[in-house]
Amino acid sequence: MTDHVLTEVKDRVMHITFNRADKKNALTHAMYSKVVEAMREAESSDNIRAMLFTGAGEAFTSGNDLVDFRDNPKMGPDAPVSQFLQCLLTSKKPIVMAVNGIAVGVGLTMLLHADIVFAAEGAVISAPFVDLALVPEAASSLLLPKRAGHARAAEIFMLGKRVTAQEGYEMGIFSRVLKADDLLAQAEEAAVALANKAPQSVQRTKMLMRGDIEEVGARMEKEAKLFAEQLFSSEFAESVMAFMEKRPPNFG
Ligand code: COA
Protein backbone atom coordinates (compact mmCIF):
# COMPACT_ATOMS: atom_id res chain seq x y z
CA MET A 1 0.00 0.00 0.00
CA THR A 2 1.36 3.43 -0.83
CA ASP A 3 0.51 6.84 0.59
CA HIS A 4 1.27 8.28 -2.82
CA VAL A 5 -2.49 8.15 -3.26
CA LEU A 6 -4.71 9.36 -0.43
CA THR A 7 -8.28 8.16 -0.22
CA GLU A 8 -11.02 9.23 2.12
CA VAL A 9 -14.80 8.92 2.16
CA LYS A 10 -16.49 12.09 3.36
CA ASP A 11 -20.11 13.18 2.88
CA ARG A 12 -20.68 10.12 0.64
CA VAL A 13 -17.89 11.24 -1.68
CA MET A 14 -14.76 9.15 -2.33
CA HIS A 15 -11.86 11.63 -2.35
CA ILE A 16 -8.86 10.41 -4.34
CA THR A 17 -5.74 12.59 -4.12
CA PHE A 18 -2.55 11.99 -6.10
CA ASN A 19 0.04 12.60 -3.40
CA ARG A 20 3.54 12.48 -4.77
CA ALA A 21 4.26 16.17 -5.02
CA ASP A 22 8.05 15.85 -5.34
CA LYS A 23 7.53 13.98 -8.63
CA LYS A 24 4.64 16.19 -9.74
CA ASN A 25 2.30 13.32 -8.83
CA ALA A 26 3.65 11.07 -11.61
CA LEU A 27 1.63 7.84 -11.52
CA THR A 28 3.38 4.54 -10.83
CA HIS A 29 1.81 1.11 -11.25
CA ALA A 30 1.36 0.97 -7.45
CA MET A 31 -0.48 4.29 -7.47
CA TYR A 32 -2.82 3.12 -10.23
CA SER A 33 -3.58 0.01 -8.16
CA LYS A 34 -4.54 2.12 -5.17
CA VAL A 35 -6.77 4.35 -7.30
CA VAL A 36 -8.45 1.28 -8.82
CA GLU A 37 -9.13 -0.11 -5.36
CA ALA A 38 -10.76 3.17 -4.29
CA MET A 39 -12.83 3.42 -7.47
CA ARG A 40 -14.05 -0.16 -7.10
CA GLU A 41 -15.04 0.54 -3.51
CA ALA A 42 -16.88 3.66 -4.63
CA GLU A 43 -18.72 1.76 -7.36
CA SER A 44 -19.80 -1.05 -5.06
CA SER A 45 -20.77 0.89 -1.93
CA ASP A 46 -24.30 2.29 -1.61
CA ASN A 47 -22.90 4.85 0.80
CA ILE A 48 -20.59 6.39 -1.80
CA ARG A 49 -22.37 8.40 -4.48
CA ALA A 50 -19.60 10.38 -6.18
CA MET A 51 -15.83 10.51 -6.63
CA LEU A 52 -13.54 13.53 -6.47
CA PHE A 53 -10.01 13.51 -7.88
CA THR A 54 -7.34 16.12 -7.25
CA GLY A 55 -3.58 16.43 -6.81
CA ALA A 56 -1.51 17.39 -3.78
CA GLY A 57 0.94 20.27 -4.11
CA GLU A 58 1.37 22.17 -7.35
CA ALA A 59 0.51 19.49 -9.91
CA PHE A 60 -2.61 17.51 -10.75
CA THR A 61 -0.45 14.76 -12.24
CA SER A 62 2.49 14.66 -14.64
CA GLY A 63 1.05 11.42 -16.05
CA ASN A 64 2.62 8.00 -16.16
CA ASP A 65 5.86 7.72 -14.22
CA LEU A 66 8.20 7.48 -17.20
CA VAL A 67 10.90 5.63 -15.30
CA ASP A 68 8.48 3.07 -13.84
CA PHE A 69 6.95 2.54 -17.29
CA ARG A 70 10.33 2.18 -18.98
CA ASP A 71 11.78 -0.16 -16.35
CA ASN A 72 8.63 -2.16 -15.77
CA PRO A 73 6.40 -1.78 -18.84
CA LYS A 74 3.27 -3.60 -17.67
CA MET A 75 0.50 -3.59 -20.25
CA GLY A 76 -2.41 -5.91 -21.06
CA PRO A 77 -5.81 -6.01 -19.39
CA ASP A 78 -4.44 -6.90 -15.94
CA ALA A 79 -1.95 -4.03 -15.80
CA PRO A 80 -2.88 -1.44 -13.17
CA VAL A 81 -3.06 1.35 -15.75
CA SER A 82 -5.43 -0.71 -17.94
CA GLN A 83 -7.62 -1.43 -14.93
CA PHE A 84 -7.72 2.26 -14.11
CA LEU A 85 -8.82 3.10 -17.64
CA GLN A 86 -11.42 0.34 -17.46
CA CYS A 87 -12.76 1.81 -14.20
CA LEU A 88 -13.07 5.20 -15.89
CA LEU A 89 -14.79 3.65 -18.90
CA THR A 90 -17.34 1.69 -16.89
CA SER A 91 -17.87 3.99 -13.90
CA LYS A 92 -21.50 4.43 -12.98
CA LYS A 93 -20.97 6.96 -10.22
CA PRO A 94 -20.32 10.58 -11.17
CA ILE A 95 -16.73 11.78 -11.20
CA VAL A 96 -15.58 15.31 -10.36
CA MET A 97 -11.99 16.35 -11.12
CA ALA A 98 -10.31 19.42 -9.65
CA VAL A 99 -7.28 20.22 -11.79
CA ASN A 100 -5.10 22.20 -9.43
CA GLY A 101 -1.99 22.50 -11.62
CA ILE A 102 -0.15 20.82 -14.43
CA ALA A 103 -1.83 17.79 -15.98
CA VAL A 104 0.19 15.79 -18.51
CA GLY A 105 -0.63 12.69 -20.56
CA VAL A 106 -3.16 10.60 -18.67
CA GLY A 107 -3.55 13.68 -16.47
CA LEU A 108 -5.36 15.21 -19.43
CA THR A 109 -6.92 12.12 -20.95
CA MET A 110 -8.62 11.05 -17.71
CA LEU A 111 -10.46 14.39 -17.68
CA LEU A 112 -12.34 13.33 -20.81
CA HIS A 113 -14.04 10.58 -18.76
CA ALA A 114 -15.04 12.79 -15.84
CA ASP A 115 -18.43 14.47 -15.52
CA ILE A 116 -17.56 17.75 -13.83
CA VAL A 117 -14.10 19.21 -14.39
CA PHE A 118 -12.92 22.45 -12.79
CA ALA A 119 -9.48 24.00 -13.25
CA ALA A 120 -7.42 26.42 -11.22
CA GLU A 121 -6.45 29.55 -13.15
CA GLY A 122 -2.83 28.47 -13.41
CA ALA A 123 -3.50 24.91 -14.55
CA VAL A 124 -1.81 23.82 -17.77
CA ILE A 125 -2.73 20.62 -19.59
CA SER A 126 -0.85 18.73 -22.25
CA ALA A 127 -0.66 15.29 -23.83
CA PRO A 128 2.62 15.27 -25.78
CA PHE A 129 2.36 11.62 -26.79
CA VAL A 130 4.32 12.03 -30.02
CA ASP A 131 7.09 13.97 -28.24
CA LEU A 132 7.38 10.94 -25.97
CA ALA A 133 7.30 8.51 -28.90
CA LEU A 134 3.99 7.13 -27.59
CA VAL A 135 0.42 7.26 -28.90
CA PRO A 136 -2.73 8.61 -27.23
CA GLU A 137 -4.49 6.42 -24.65
CA ALA A 138 -7.74 6.33 -22.65
CA ALA A 139 -9.67 6.60 -25.95
CA SER A 140 -8.45 10.19 -26.14
CA SER A 141 -7.74 9.81 -29.87
CA LEU A 142 -11.53 9.54 -30.21
CA LEU A 143 -12.72 11.77 -27.35
CA LEU A 144 -10.42 14.80 -27.64
CA PRO A 145 -11.06 15.48 -31.36
CA LYS A 146 -14.80 15.19 -30.61
CA ARG A 147 -14.49 17.69 -27.77
CA ALA A 148 -11.94 20.14 -29.15
CA GLY A 149 -12.01 19.52 -32.91
CA HIS A 150 -9.47 17.56 -34.93
CA ALA A 151 -7.05 20.42 -35.56
CA ARG A 152 -6.77 21.49 -31.92
CA ALA A 153 -6.48 17.87 -30.77
CA ALA A 154 -3.71 17.28 -33.33
CA GLU A 155 -1.74 20.26 -31.97
CA ILE A 156 -2.04 18.79 -28.48
CA PHE A 157 -1.14 15.19 -29.39
CA MET A 158 1.25 15.72 -32.27
CA LEU A 159 2.92 19.07 -31.56
CA GLY A 160 2.78 18.71 -27.77
CA LYS A 161 0.94 22.03 -27.39
CA ARG A 162 0.36 23.06 -23.78
CA VAL A 163 -3.15 24.34 -23.13
CA THR A 164 -3.98 26.92 -20.48
CA ALA A 165 -6.98 26.62 -18.18
CA GLN A 166 -8.78 29.29 -20.19
CA GLU A 167 -8.08 27.51 -23.50
CA GLY A 168 -9.22 24.24 -21.93
CA TYR A 169 -12.42 25.99 -20.88
CA GLU A 170 -12.97 27.21 -24.44
CA MET A 171 -12.45 23.65 -25.74
CA GLY A 172 -15.06 22.31 -23.32
CA ILE A 173 -12.59 20.33 -21.21
CA PHE A 174 -13.31 22.46 -18.13
CA SER A 175 -16.66 23.88 -17.15
CA ARG A 176 -15.18 26.42 -14.70
CA VAL A 177 -11.83 28.16 -14.23
CA LEU A 178 -11.46 29.16 -10.60
CA LYS A 179 -9.04 30.93 -8.32
CA ALA A 180 -6.64 28.33 -6.93
CA ASP A 181 -7.87 28.97 -3.39
CA ASP A 182 -11.48 28.31 -4.37
CA LEU A 183 -10.92 25.22 -6.51
CA LEU A 184 -11.18 22.41 -3.99
CA ALA A 185 -14.07 23.93 -2.05
CA GLN A 186 -16.11 24.37 -5.24
CA ALA A 187 -15.25 20.88 -6.48
CA GLU A 188 -16.25 19.42 -3.11
CA GLU A 189 -19.47 21.37 -3.21
CA ALA A 190 -20.25 19.93 -6.65
CA ALA A 191 -19.38 16.39 -5.57
CA VAL A 192 -21.52 16.60 -2.43
CA ALA A 193 -24.37 18.08 -4.46
CA LEU A 194 -24.15 15.11 -6.84
CA ALA A 195 -24.01 12.71 -3.89
CA ASN A 196 -27.25 14.17 -2.53
CA LYS A 197 -29.21 13.91 -5.76
CA ALA A 198 -31.38 10.93 -6.73
CA PRO A 199 -28.68 8.29 -7.35
CA GLN A 200 -30.45 6.34 -10.06
CA SER A 201 -31.27 9.52 -11.95
CA VAL A 202 -27.67 10.76 -11.70
CA GLN A 203 -26.23 7.44 -12.84
CA ARG A 204 -28.67 7.06 -15.72
CA THR A 205 -27.98 10.61 -16.86
CA LYS A 206 -24.25 9.91 -16.79
CA MET A 207 -24.78 6.71 -18.79
CA LEU A 208 -26.91 8.50 -21.39
CA MET A 209 -24.47 11.40 -21.75
CA ARG A 210 -21.51 9.10 -22.17
CA GLY A 211 -22.86 7.63 -25.38
CA ASP A 212 -21.52 4.50 -27.02
CA ILE A 213 -19.24 2.89 -24.44
CA GLU A 214 -18.51 -0.02 -26.79
CA GLU A 215 -17.03 2.35 -29.35
CA VAL A 216 -14.97 4.08 -26.64
CA GLY A 217 -13.84 0.73 -25.22
CA ALA A 218 -12.85 -0.54 -28.67
CA ARG A 219 -10.74 2.58 -29.27
CA MET A 220 -9.08 2.14 -25.87
CA GLU A 221 -8.14 -1.41 -26.82
CA LYS A 222 -6.73 -0.36 -30.17
CA GLU A 223 -4.71 2.43 -28.57
CA ALA A 224 -3.44 0.08 -25.83
CA LYS A 225 -2.03 -2.31 -28.41
CA LEU A 226 -0.11 0.45 -30.19
CA PHE A 227 0.89 2.10 -26.91
CA ALA A 228 2.39 -1.20 -25.72
CA GLU A 229 4.33 -1.56 -28.98
CA GLN A 230 5.67 1.97 -28.57
CA LEU A 231 6.68 1.29 -24.95
CA PHE A 232 9.04 -1.40 -26.21
CA SER A 233 10.43 0.73 -29.03
CA SER A 234 13.88 2.27 -29.22
CA GLU A 235 12.30 5.68 -29.84
CA PHE A 236 10.53 5.52 -26.46
CA ALA A 237 13.78 4.47 -24.77
CA GLU A 238 15.43 7.55 -26.30
CA SER A 239 12.59 9.86 -25.19
CA VAL A 240 12.87 8.66 -21.55
CA MET A 241 16.66 8.87 -21.61
CA ALA A 242 16.40 12.44 -22.91
CA PHE A 243 13.86 13.32 -20.18
CA MET A 244 16.14 11.93 -17.47
CA GLU A 245 19.16 13.71 -18.91
CA LYS A 246 17.12 16.93 -19.28
CA ARG A 247 17.94 17.28 -23.00
CA PRO A 248 15.87 17.22 -26.21
CA PRO A 249 15.43 13.73 -27.67
CA ASN A 250 17.28 12.76 -30.84
CA PHE A 251 15.18 10.44 -33.04
CA GLY A 252 17.76 10.29 -35.82
N1 COA B 1 7.71 10.47 -14.62
C1 COA B 1 8.75 10.38 -13.78
N2 COA B 1 9.27 11.44 -13.11
C2 COA B 1 8.69 12.63 -13.31
C3 COA B 1 7.60 12.80 -14.18
C4 COA B 1 7.11 11.65 -14.85
N3 COA B 1 6.06 11.71 -15.65
N4 COA B 1 7.25 14.11 -14.17
C5 COA B 1 8.08 14.73 -13.33
N5 COA B 1 8.96 13.84 -12.81
C6 COA B 1 10.03 14.11 -11.85
C7 COA B 1 11.21 14.82 -12.49
O1 COA B 1 12.10 13.87 -13.06
C8 COA B 1 11.81 15.54 -11.31
O2 COA B 1 12.52 14.59 -10.55
P1 COA B 1 13.92 15.03 -9.84
O3 COA B 1 13.52 16.11 -8.86
O4 COA B 1 14.37 13.77 -9.19
O5 COA B 1 14.81 15.54 -10.96
C9 COA B 1 10.58 15.91 -10.47
O6 COA B 1 9.54 15.04 -10.89
C10 COA B 1 10.12 17.33 -10.68
O7 COA B 1 9.93 17.53 -12.08
P2 COA B 1 10.57 18.75 -12.90
O8 COA B 1 10.67 18.34 -14.31
O9 COA B 1 11.82 19.21 -12.22
O10 COA B 1 9.42 19.85 -12.66
P3 COA B 1 9.00 21.01 -13.64
O11 COA B 1 8.02 21.85 -12.87
O12 COA B 1 10.21 21.69 -14.21
O13 COA B 1 8.25 20.30 -14.86
C11 COA B 1 6.68 18.77 -15.86
C12 COA B 1 7.05 19.58 -14.61
C13 COA B 1 5.49 17.92 -15.48
C14 COA B 1 6.32 19.72 -17.01
C15 COA B 1 7.88 17.93 -16.29
O14 COA B 1 8.38 17.22 -15.15
C16 COA B 1 7.56 16.92 -17.33
O15 COA B 1 7.46 17.24 -18.50
N6 COA B 1 7.39 15.65 -16.91
C17 COA B 1 7.13 14.57 -17.83
C18 COA B 1 5.67 14.54 -18.18
C19 COA B 1 5.37 13.41 -19.09
O16 COA B 1 5.94 13.31 -20.15
N7 COA B 1 4.49 12.49 -18.65
C20 COA B 1 4.19 11.27 -19.34
C21 COA B 1 2.94 11.37 -20.09
S1 COA B 1 2.55 9.78 -20.83
Side-chain angles (χ1 to χ4, degrees):
M1 231 22 106
T2 170
D3 61 0
H4 285 157
V5 175
L6 303 177
T7 62
E8 184 191 10
V9 180
K10 205 170 58 180
D11 299 328
R12 298 201 289 190
V13 174
M14 171 65 83
H15 291 244
I16 300 175
T17 305
F18 307 129
N19 183 42
R20 196 179 170 221
D22 61 326
K23 296 287 182 190
K24 305 288 171 184
N25 299 326
L27 295 165
T28 59
H29 298 300
M31 290 169 72
Y32 278 120
S33 293
K34 179 101 186 263
V35 173
V36 165
E37 198 181 296
M39 292 182 80
R40 286 182 179 157
E41 184 189 339
E43 292 295 343
S44 63
S45 166
D46 287 342
N47 295 322
I48 303 174
R49 304 275 174 88
M51 289 174 251
L52 169 57
F53 287 71
T54 195
E58 289 172 2
F60 180 64
T61 169
S62 58
N64 293 332
D65 184 304
L66 290 169
V67 179
D68 198 28
F69 272 67
R70 179 197 59 186
D71 295 348
N72 193 9
K74 294 183 192 166
M75 289 303 284
D78 295 334
V81 60
S82 312
Q83 291 182 356
F84 170 63
L85 299 182
Q86 203 57 32
C87 283
L88 285 177
L89 177 69
T90 57
S91 73
K92 294 188 171 62
K93 308 257 167 108
I95 297 178
V96 178
M97 294 197 178
V99 182
N100 52 305
I102 199 146
V104 188
V106 71
L108 186 162
T109 61
M110 72 172 78
L111 307 179
L112 305 170
H113 296 271
D115 301 291
I116 307 284
V117 189
F118 297 160
E121 280 171 346
V124 176
I125 56 176
S126 64
F129 292 114
V130 169
D131 287 347
L132 292 162
L134 292 170
V135 295
E137 31 78 301
S140 60
S141 63
L142 177 72
L143 299 175
L144 189 61
K146 264 193 192 166
R147 189 80 63 95
H150 180 92
R152 289 197 288 194
E155 280 209 59
I156 292 170
F157 290 145
M158 300 172 84
L159 288 182
K161 179 179 159 58
R162 291 155 58 99
V163 170
T164 62
Q166 185 58 33
E167 288 170 327
Y169 171 79
E170 283 155 19
M171 289 178 197
I173 296 172
F174 303 122
S175 61
R176 290 186 212 172
V177 179
L178 299 162
K179 296 206 177 309
D181 287 348
D182 297 338
L183 176 72
L184 198 55
Q186 293 223 22
E188 278 175 356
E189 197 180 302
V192 172
L194 286 168
N196 287 328
K197 291 185 189 295
Q200 182 167 284
S201 162
V202 169
Q203 290 176 29
R204 286 183 163 172
T205 301
K206 176 179 171 116
M207 183 265 292
L208 289 165
M209 288 181 70
R210 180 152 47 189
D212 186 351
I213 146 166
E214 277 173 23
E215 183 192 15
V216 179
R219 179 63 64 96
M220 254 186 205
E221 247 176 64
K222 190 172 184 177
E223 290 172 344
K225 186 173 173 294
L226 299 177
F227 195 97
E229 284 177 17
Q230 288 301 121
L231 272 188
F232 289 97
S233 71
S234 57
E235 51 188 42
F236 178 66
E238 165 57 12
S239 81
V240 178
M241 190 68 78
F243 174 69
M244 296 312 294
E245 293 173 358
K246 302 192 189 294
R247 62 167 172 82
N250 177 357
F251 296 119

